[in-house]
């Protein structure tokens, strides 16, 4: 790419997203607006970590409403993948165990 720029008479330019010198993409006003302000009001705070059991159940219900549940077809596919993975890992562990056993027997038997 730099050869093309030099061939046309232009200077080599950097490639990619870079900030031009002197041009800021973030102003100090927008930075200050995004700044988090800590509230030190004791009436807002709960004494119990997590808000206590009275807030737990409604939060669980609201979070369960956000869950995207898989379809029956997806569950069958996921189950098949899990069983295939278990089969492969079981075969791998069995083969390593068999080879190790044969190696130990070969070393220990005269």
């Amino acid at each position: 790419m730099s050869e093309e720029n030099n061939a046309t008479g232009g200077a080599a330019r950097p490639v990619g997203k870079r900030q031009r010198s002197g041009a800021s993409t973030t102003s100090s006003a927008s930075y200050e607006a995004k700044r988090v302000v800590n509230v030190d009001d004791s009436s807002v705070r709960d004494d119990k970590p997590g808000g206590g059991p009275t807030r737990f159940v409604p939060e669980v219900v609201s979070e369960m409403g956000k869950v995207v549940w898989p379809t029956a077809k997806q569950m069958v596919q996921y189950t098949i993948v899990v069983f295939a993975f278990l089969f492969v890992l079981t075969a791998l562990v069995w083969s390593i165990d068999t080879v190790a056993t044969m190696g130990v027997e070969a070393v220990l038997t005269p």
Side-chain angles (χ1 to χ4, degrees):
M1 173 128 180
S2 61
E3 294 174 5
E4 292 174 7
N5 287 339
N6 289 337
T8 59
R13 296 187 319 179
V15 180
K17 293 183 179 180
R18 293 193 177 129
Q19 182 177 343
R20 293 182 292 167
S21 62
S24 176
T25 58
T26 306
S27 67
S28 58
S30 67
Y31 177 76
E32 289 295 325
K34 293 178 186 176
R35 214 169 128 196
V36 176
V37 178
N38 292 333
V39 177
D40 218 14
D41 189 10
S42 61
S43 65
V44 175
R45 279 192 199 166
D46 287 338
D47 292 338
K48 302 172 189 170
T54 56
R55 286 186 42 201
F56 177 73
V57 173
E59 287 179 5
V60 168
V61 170
S62 70
E63 290 298 320
M64 290 300 285
K66 297 176 188 177
V67 173
V68 178
W69 297 99
T71 64
K73 183 179 178 182
Q74 289 173 332
M75 283 304 298
V76 169
Q77 289 175 345
Y78 297 157
T79 304
I80 291 170
V81 167
V82 168
F83 280 123
F85 184 72
L86 287 173
F87 179 76
V88 169
L89 282 183
T90 303
L92 178 69
V93 169
W94 175 81
S95 62
I96 290 172
D97 183 48
T98 303
V99 169
T101 301
M102 290 181 349
V104 168
E105 286 178 354
V107 168
L108 294 178
T109 54

